[in-house]
Amino acid sequence: QVHIVESGGGLVQPGGSLRLSCAASGSISNLRAMGWYRQAPGKQRELVAYIAPSGNTIYEDSVKGRFAISKDNAKNTMYLQMNSLKPEDTAVYYCMVIIGLDQYWGQGTQVTVSS
């Protein structure tokens, strides 16, 4: 069984920063890629950032230069540092991990950017 636990969401003013964490545990010996997705009200879930086993990263265009994805392999934990946050970044952020051929999702954490 795989457990995914996210943390770090909250309310922040425009221009502020937040750091999201995603910890994976359980049957994760074949953990491969990890990524962050988000879903705003009335919109489809979209990829925000992705990190491959090699460490290569991919970012959605609107977050390039503002967000940074990283991982600590020893802790099986992934992070998303979000800087210069904008109201349009408001969404529920989901952690996704690929283990073997299967995809697993966290429960989501709310990020609200508002003054």
Side-chain angles (χ1 to χ4, degrees), residues 23-90:
S25 61
S27 302
I28 59 171
S29 60
N30 197 20
L31 190 152
R32 298 169 60 193
M34 304 179 78
W36 290 98
Y37 285 71
R38 66 185 179 187
Q39 188 167 20
K43 295 187 177 181
Q44 289 188 332
R45 190 173 297 190
E46 65 175 0
L47 176 66
V48 176
Y50 170 90
I51 186 164
S54 62
N56 289 341
T57 57
I58 296 173
Y59 293 95
E60 194 270 330
D61 285 346
S62 70
V63 308
K64 287 179 180 177
R66 299 189 297 122
F67 291 12
I69 189 171
S70 62
K71 61 178 179 174
D72 184 331
N73 291 328
K75 297 181 179 179
N76 295 311
T77 300
M78 172 180 65
Y79 305 96
L80 185 67
Q81 179 66 43
M82 305 185 293
N83 300 324
S84 302
L85 282 161
K86 304 176 181 180
E88 50 264 43
D89 295 317
T90 295

Side-chain angles (χ1 to χ4, degrees), residues 8-10 12 18 20 82 85 89-93 109-113:
V12 64
L18 282 175
L20 305 183
M82 305 185 293
L85 282 161
D89 295 317
T90 295
V92 178
Y93 284 69
T109 184
Q110 177 70 46
V111 172
T112 302
V113 185

